[in-house]
Amino acid sequence: MTSLLSLLLLILLTLSSVESKTFWADVAALKEFKNSVDAKSITPGSCLSSWDFSVDPCDGLSGETFTCGFRCDTVVSGSGRVTDLSLDHAGYSGSLSSVSFNFPYLQSLDLSGNYFSGPLPHSLSNLTRLTSLYLSENSFSGSIPASLGSMSALEELLLDNNRLSGSVPASFNNLSSLKRLEIQLNNISGGFPDLTSLKNLNYLDASDNQISGRVPALLPGSLVQISMRNNLMEGTIPESFSNLTSLEVVDLSHNELSGSVPSFIFTHQTLQQLTLSFNGFTSLDSPYYSPSGLPSELISVDLSNNQIRGSLPLFMGLLPKLSALSLENNSFSGMIPTQYVWKTVSPGSNFAAFQRLLLGGNFLFGVVPSPLMALKPGSANVQLAGNCFSWCPATVFFCQGQEQRTVTECRKFSRVIP
């Protein structure tokens, strides 16, 4: 009789294991995760509202339960393993600090666009196969766990739009597979760590924080875009940027940079967009150039709202691909260079035309060149208002928006005006 009961029990266990498509530990991990979410934030029709554990999770994906929020794959031993956990933007809230994240086969975790709060869980480092971690647009707070630096398979790390504070962990230099790092719109402070080991990193956005110190010099040569606007960085652009041979976009606007903009940045071999507005630069270092032009890939340069003095830089009119130049709200003086005029009205076959030329709010004087006066509205976005020109009436479209400066103001910058 005992042996018969044992046989029946074995058969039941066998049938149970065959019928269950989800590995038991993944079921437990899904239950733990759902239980950590504030029940009041789980609304009807949301993904989590369909998670009914009376049904096998991986078996219910095609029915009315477990309709969304994760993906199962048969990875090993015929059991379904959770490989993707991606919630909808349904306004979920709660703290995840105590969740174990025991999903050994998880490759992607997306909790973005919700209201999760509290510290980032240290247990995220348990996800050793994770390649994408999206925690954007939540209310996570506290420091970034150094343990995240052990996630060597991670390719995309998005922590932007939270309330994170403290510094960027030095352990991030161990994220050898990382391609994209977004930590913008937080309260991150301090200097920036060495990231030179991240040979695959191509996108870095650390804007809208409180990062201080010098512009990071220890960055990988693979970077294509660097955005660190609206921080507290000082100094100027480091010479090491010339070694970033894939760099196309640099945005360091709204910082406390000062001194001179180095000449090498204007002839960088790959750079297309340079934004340094709203800083404290006082001068530009001119690269060597000939009348035939400069070797440069720059398409857009924005140096507006600094404190740059002197004549308008002639070399800007010789950058062959430059079509957008903003130098407004500085302290430039002198006359508009001929190179600027012809690049706007008739650039020739080897030069891109200025589609945007913003020179307003300076101390430029003399006569507005006649080819510019002949421009029609809509032909090019030109702005010359707020200067010291002898004649720039508000009836001309590029003189509108700000009155010309007074003679008293202009006398400080021009010996021509009596």
Side-chain angles (χ1 to χ4, degrees):
M1 187 66 177
T2 304
S3 60
L4 181 59
L5 288 173
S6 299
L7 180 60
L8 288 172
L9 182 59
L10 179 61
I11 292 172
L12 288 172
L13 288 172
T14 303
L15 288 173
S16 176
S17 64
V18 171
E19 291 174 358
S20 179
K21 292 189 175 182
T22 314
F23 190 71
W24 65 270
D26 286 17
V27 177
L30 288 171
K31 286 181 179 178
E32 180 196 33
F33 178 80
K34 181 179 180 181
N35 290 336
S36 70
V37 178
D38 185 348
K40 295 179 181 178
S41 69
I42 302 177
T43 55
S46 65
C47 286
L48 285 182
S49 68
S50 73
W51 288 18
D52 179 1
F53 290 97
S54 65
V55 179
D56 186 290
C58 294
D59 195 29
L61 287 173
S62 59
E64 296 181 358
T65 58
F66 293 102
T67 56
C68 56
F70 69 99
R71 187 183 76 239
C72 290
D73 288 302
T74 302
V75 178
V76 64
S77 304
S79 296
R81 306 304 301 260
V82 177
T83 56
D84 185 311
L85 181 56
S86 299
L87 295 185
D88 48 340
H89 301 175
Y92 303 117
S93 62
S95 174
L96 305 178
S97 59
S98 60
V99 178
S100 65
F101 285 101
N102 185 25
F103 297 105
Y105 289 91
L106 199 68
Q107 298 172 15
S108 179
L109 176 61
D110 186 353
L111 308 179
S112 60
N114 285 288
Y115 296 101
F116 292 115
S117 58
L120 293 176
H122 289 269
S123 55
L124 287 170
S125 60
N126 294 336
L127 304 173
T128 56
R129 288 183 171 86
L130 202 70
T131 58
S132 302
L133 178 57
Y134 306 140
L135 302 179
S136 309
E137 298 179 46
N138 279 284
S139 296
F140 291 112
S141 59
S143 59
I144 302 173
S147 57
L148 295 187
S150 66
M151 304 174 72
S152 59
L154 204 59
E155 296 179 3
E156 295 186 315
L157 176 57
L158 277 59
L159 304 176
D160 57 284
N161 286 269
N162 280 284
R163 300 173 182 175
L164 300 173
S165 57
S167 59
V168 179
S171 62
F172 272 21
N173 203 29
N174 298 323
L175 298 173
S176 56
S177 301
L178 198 64
K179 297 178 180 178
R180 189 179 189 92
L181 175 60
E182 296 194 34
I183 55 174
Q184 69 270 24
L185 288 161
N186 280 287
N187 296 310
I188 296 170
S189 59
F192 217 73
D194 178 355
L195 297 181
T196 51
S197 295
L198 308 188
K199 305 300 183 183
N200 297 295
L201 187 66
N202 53 55
Y203 185 93
L204 169 63
D205 194 341
S207 302
D208 299 289
N209 281 288
Q210 301 177 44
I211 297 169
S212 58
R214 299 265 173 179
V215 177
L218 301 175
L219 296 172
S222 55
L223 272 171
V224 175
Q225 179 165 337
I226 301 172
S227 297
M228 299 189 73
R229 64 182 174 275
N230 197 22
N231 278 287
L232 303 172
M233 295 185 296
E234 303 172 339
T236 187
I237 302 173
E239 188 72 29
S240 60
F241 271 39
S242 61
N243 300 322
L244 305 181
T245 55
S246 298
L247 193 60
E248 295 180 1
V249 177
V250 171
D251 186 351
L252 300 176
S253 60
H254 293 271
N255 275 282
E256 298 176 5
L257 305 181
S258 59
S260 187
V261 182
S263 60
F264 77 83
I265 201 68
F266 300 110
T267 55
H268 190 285
Q269 56 189 312
T270 57
L271 189 62
Q272 298 177 17
Q273 181 177 322
L274 177 64
T275 306
L276 300 175
S277 55
F278 291 94
N279 278 288
F281 288 112
T282 54
S283 62
L284 302 177
D285 289 342
S286 174
Y288 172 79
Y289 63 90
S290 66
S292 60
L294 276 165
S296 174
E297 297 295 315
L298 279 170
I299 297 172
S300 173
V301 172
D302 187 350
L303 293 168
S304 63
N305 294 279
N306 278 277
Q307 302 168 30
I308 305 172
R309 292 175 173 264
S311 302
L312 292 173
L314 297 180
F315 72 87
M316 291 289 190
L318 298 173
L319 299 177
K321 298 183 179 181
L322 190 66
S323 61
L325 175 62
S326 178
L327 300 176
E328 58 187 350
N329 299 323
N330 278 283
S331 296
F332 287 109
S333 58
M335 303 177 72
I336 299 176
T338 303
Q339 292 89 337
Y340 286 36
V341 177
W342 293 115
K343 191 167 171 58
T344 305
V345 300
S346 182
S349 58
N350 296 325
F351 285 83
F354 274 143
Q355 298 176 9
R356 183 166 70 245
L357 178 62
L358 307 181
L359 304 177
N362 282 288
F363 293 86
L364 304 176
F365 58 76
V367 177
V368 176
S370 56
L372 292 183
M373 294 297 293
L375 287 174
K376 303 297 182 184
S379 58
N381 181 7
V382 177
Q383 179 56 262
L384 302 180
N387 278 288
C388 300
F389 295 115
S390 58
W391 190 67
C392 194
T395 53
V396 180
F397 75 94
F398 52 70
C399 297
Q400 297 171 359
Q402 187 179 355
E403 293 185 1
Q404 291 293 296
R405 295 184 185 275
T406 65
V407 173
T408 302
E409 286 181 288
C410 295
R411 188 174 286 127
K412 299 177 183 179
F413 295 91
S414 174
R415 299 175 182 175
V416 175
I417 299 177

